[in-house]
Amino acid sequence: MPPNEYHDTIELISKAENNTLQIPKHKHTRTGSSSSFIHFRAPLNEESQPMANPNQLASQALPSLIICIIGLTAAGWMMDIYQHWEVFTQVSELFILVPVLLNLKGNLEMNLAARFSTSANMGQLDHPDTRNALVWGNMALIQVQALVSGSIAGIFSLLLGLLLHPDETVTISNIILVISSSMVAASVSSFVLGLFMCILIIISRILKIDPDNIACPMASSLGDVVTLAILAGCANLLLDKTVSNLGSWLLFIMFSSIPFFGLAVWRNTHVRGLLFTGWTPIVIAMLISSGAGLVLERYVEQYQGLAMLTPILCGLAGNLGSIYASRISTCLHKGVQEQFRRVEWILLSMNVPIQSLFLAIVWFIDIGHLDLSLAFAITYFIVSVISTLAALKMGKSMTLAFWKYKYDPDNYVLPYLTAIIDVICTSLLVISFSWLTATGYAHLHEPI
């Protein structure tokens, strides 16, 4: 790193700690190692201005976070139904596939949301030619990522199934069903959600709404519901068509389409650098999230309501941290200021009414069979606040750190952030359930 850029970065980190971010404008173009830094040049004649008023953050982000909670609850309700379907009882690897695939897909869509939000705030979407190139380039890119990630998720779930259940025999038809269902669900949902996110961010830009405040939660919540529905439907169809070659043909078509979309990405200068880079955080995040899945599998049958509360707690904390990281990344790209302390307090305070609304709904319609005592509510809120605070602090430090080492935060931070938060939230929730049960403040043991 050249000396002048090194000192600029140190000054950036120092001022960030003092809650004021002032990014120096360089006359050269920042590039990442392996050319993975998809950049936009900040206008040289534009004075550095503060980020959009943080007071607008709550009004813009709150509706999307409420939709996120509804989406996460709907995904849990859908999984409660799908687990009784014949295909899930016959092909147990699908239970392992669901969290792995949802984690991988969620990271792809949140990365797209963060990347495209930065493009919008940089003014790149204001020009039709650039906007069209960015839309089609990102759509082709997410197809490549979804197809590769879908195959990785399918193979990983099969291998994990062999390790967890070595006595069970895995047939060729089951292997084809799992991998093809995973790739089809990843590809189709990525197309639907990718197009939706692009349109949402373009409309937000037209209406002068900061997409950093709304895009990531929408991508996270809708992604789980759409992907889960397509996965269950495709797997059920392939089970009915076991005697035919439908699964094999789908697998062939999915793998054959990867070079086609890869060529489209390669020809697009806006996203070419991401074709062979950015895979490491996605795969590592999958491995980290598997730790949360193992913790959940170990205790889900021991405590009532754990399976329902875990995605809500992890999802909300992860989305609040993702909003913060996305905003900081946009600041870094634009060369503007972010008011760290105020934004952190706004995001942290938004956690309380959303969790209160969720617990009120749980109490009113009596789902999850929870013992909603006062001690339980207080403990849950403490865990929620700790998780959200951890997400915010990690989102800030990780974004600044990746930028310092010339990696675009839009492509690297969110997978690591959400995966680590999944482990933290799941572990804290299990500890709180154990403490409440041991002290007698709440009765959360599953009936034997």
Side-chain angles (χ1 to χ4, degrees):
M1 181 182 294
N4 62 328
E5 189 169 339
Y6 174 80
H7 291 300
D8 286 340
T9 304
I10 296 301
E11 183 181 1
L12 181 153
I13 301 296
S14 176
K15 290 187 176 182
E17 293 302 322
N18 293 323
N19 302 313
T20 301
L21 178 60
Q22 178 73 38
I23 310 301
K25 292 188 172 60
H26 300 294
K27 293 185 179 180
H28 66 279
T29 301
R30 290 183 63 96
T31 57
S33 58
S34 306
S35 68
S36 63
F37 203 113
I38 303 304
H39 62 84
F40 299 102
R41 189 193 303 272
L44 296 178
N45 59 350
E46 179 183 331
E47 292 297 326
S48 184
Q49 297 295 329
M51 191 66 171
N53 186 356
N55 294 329
Q56 297 177 353
L57 173 59
S59 60
Q60 294 179 3
L62 190 59
S64 64
L65 288 170
I66 293 176
I67 294 175
C68 171
I69 292 297
I70 295 173
L72 291 170
T73 306
W77 172 74
M78 291 166 62
M79 192 60 213
D80 187 55
I81 295 176
Y82 294 152
Q83 67 178 337
H84 302 295
W85 283 18
E86 183 182 359
V87 65
F88 278 87
T89 57
Q90 289 191 17
V91 186
S92 59
E93 289 81 7
L94 289 174
F95 284 108
I96 303 174
L97 174 63
V98 168
V100 175
L101 181 62
L102 293 185
N103 175 264
L104 280 172
K105 281 287 287 87
N107 287 329
L108 297 181
E109 287 142 11
M110 292 177 75
N111 279 351
L112 171 64
R115 191 167 57 242
F116 213 64
S117 295
T118 297
S119 300
N121 284 319
M122 291 298 298
Q124 299 293 314
L125 305 185
D126 298 340
H127 308 287
D129 292 340
T130 307
R131 179 175 63 240
N132 293 338
L134 283 168
V135 169
W136 295 118
N138 278 284
M139 290 295 294
L141 174 64
I142 199 174
Q143 279 299 307
V144 175
Q145 293 175 329
L147 289 167
V148 174
S149 298
S151 63
I152 291 174
I155 295 171
F156 181 77
S157 63
L158 288 169
L159 293 176
L160 200 58
L162 288 174
L163 292 175
L164 295 176
H165 309 289
D167 297 334
E168 294 185 5
T169 302
V170 181
T171 63
I172 297 297
S173 60
N174 283 0
I175 294 174
I176 294 175
L177 183 147
V178 171
I179 298 177
S180 57
S181 297
S182 178
M183 294 183 72
V184 169
S187 177
V188 175
S189 62
S190 287
F191 174 78
V192 173
L193 292 165
L195 187 60
F196 171 77
M197 294 310 302
C198 289
I199 294 173
L200 174 67
I201 292 172
I202 291 171
I203 293 175
S204 299
R205 176 68 177 176
I206 295 173
L207 298 178
K208 300 187 183 303
I209 298 173
D210 186 357
D212 283 322
N213 296 336
I214 64 173
C216 286
M218 294 293 288
S220 173
S221 60
L222 296 179
D224 286 358
V225 174
V226 175
T227 304
L228 186 57
I230 296 174
L231 174 66
C234 182
N236 193 58
L237 175 64
L238 292 178
L239 182 67
D240 294 337
K241 304 292 183 180
T242 303
V243 295
S244 68
N245 294 321
L246 178 60
S248 300
W249 277 109
L250 282 177
L251 204 59
F252 174 76
I253 293 171
M254 292 294 104
F255 276 111
S256 299
S257 62
I258 294 177
F260 170 78
F261 289 113
L263 182 61
V265 175
W266 183 254
R267 291 177 174 175
N268 191 304
T269 57
H270 296 280
V271 294
R272 178 186 298 172
L274 291 174
L275 185 58
F276 299 108
T277 59
W279 294 98
T280 302
I282 293 174
V283 175
I284 293 179
M286 176 190 71
L287 298 177
I288 295 173
S289 292
S290 299
L294 293 176
V295 173
L296 184 61
E297 184 184 25
R298 168 68 176 80
Y299 292 98
V300 68
E301 295 182 358
Q302 185 174 343
Y303 297 113
Q304 295 181 124
L306 184 63
M308 181 187 65
L309 290 179
T310 300
I312 302 298
L313 184 66
C314 297
L316 183 58
N319 280 316
L320 289 170
S322 299
I323 290 174
Y324 195 28
S326 184
R327 284 177 60 93
I328 297 173
S329 180
T330 296
C331 288
L332 293 166
H333 282 87
K334 291 184 69 177
V336 298
Q337 298 175 2
E338 175 67 292
Q339 301 177 46
F340 284 95
R341 185 169 299 173
R342 182 183 296 183
V343 172
E344 286 180 10
W345 275 109
I346 290 174
L347 290 171
L348 188 62
S349 63
M350 289 172 62
N351 176 69
V352 176
I354 295 175
Q355 293 288 12
S356 299
L357 176 63
F358 169 68
L359 288 181
I361 294 174
V362 170
W363 174 80
F364 184 74
I365 61 180
D366 192 24
I367 58 176
H369 309 288
L370 284 169
D371 181 14
L372 289 177
S373 62
L374 178 61
F376 172 84
I378 293 174
T379 305
Y380 179 76
F381 274 115
I382 292 174
V383 170
S384 178
V385 169
I386 293 173
S387 301
T388 302
L389 187 60
L392 295 176
K393 294 300 183 182
M394 282 194 298
K396 173 184 173 182
S397 59
M398 291 171 67
T399 303
L400 294 175
F402 275 108
W403 179 270
K404 175 183 176 181
Y405 291 104
K406 293 187 176 184
Y407 290 94
D408 190 345
D410 285 332
N411 301 317
Y412 285 88
V413 171
L414 299 188
Y416 290 123
L417 176 62
T418 54
I420 295 173
I421 286 300
D422 283 352
V423 176
I424 292 175
C425 290
T426 305
S427 301
L428 287 177
L429 199 58
V430 168
I431 292 172
S432 66
F433 271 50
S434 177
W435 179 78
L436 287 167
T437 303
T439 56
Y441 287 121
H443 302 286
L444 300 171
H445 268 302
E446 283 281 5
I448 299 176

